[in-house]
Amino acid sequence: MTYERQLELTADRLRQLPAPRLEAAQDRVYALLESMTPRPVPRLRSIGWADQVLVIGRDVPAEARAALEEALRDLRRSFDLTV
């Protein structure tokens, strides 16, 4: 699967989740976002995280994308587990 597809699937999953479920994963979401960019990552309400992942993720240089595919997949799959 490509990096772009992992990015889209992760954003879609974030959009599907209720706010309480997302907010419990705030540290994981921002750890991923901060690994995608050297710039400071603004803290948004959880409802905006999917768009934030897409916007920041699209700016990741091509040579760094392969390393982030697994992180995107792992974040998305972490929401599939029963809490």
Side-chain angles (χ1 to χ4, degrees):
M1 190 175 308
T2 66
Y3 168 82
E4 291 82 6
R5 185 68 179 137
Q6 291 286 5
L7 193 63
E8 291 169 9
L9 288 172
T10 302
D12 287 345
R13 186 69 177 125
L14 292 173
R15 283 190 184 103
Q16 296 170 0
L17 296 167
R21 189 88 190 275
L22 286 171
E23 290 160 7
Q26 180 176 351
D27 292 340
R28 286 181 286 152
V29 171
Y30 279 103
L32 174 62
L33 288 168
E34 290 168 355
S35 73
M36 295 173 134
T37 182
R39 299 180 312 213
V41 177
R43 302 293 186 189
L44 304 178
R45 290 187 353 204
S46 60
I47 195 167
W49 292 352
D51 293 328
Q52 197 172 25
V53 164
L54 282 176
V55 169
I56 292 173
R58 288 179 180 150
D59 285 341
V60 171
E63 62 273 5
R65 290 180 173 197
L68 291 168
E69 282 183 53
E70 186 176 345
L72 286 163
R73 184 187 67 235
D74 290 347
L75 176 65
R76 185 176 72 251
R77 288 182 178 172
S78 73
F79 291 112
D80 293 338
L81 301 174
T82 303
V83 178

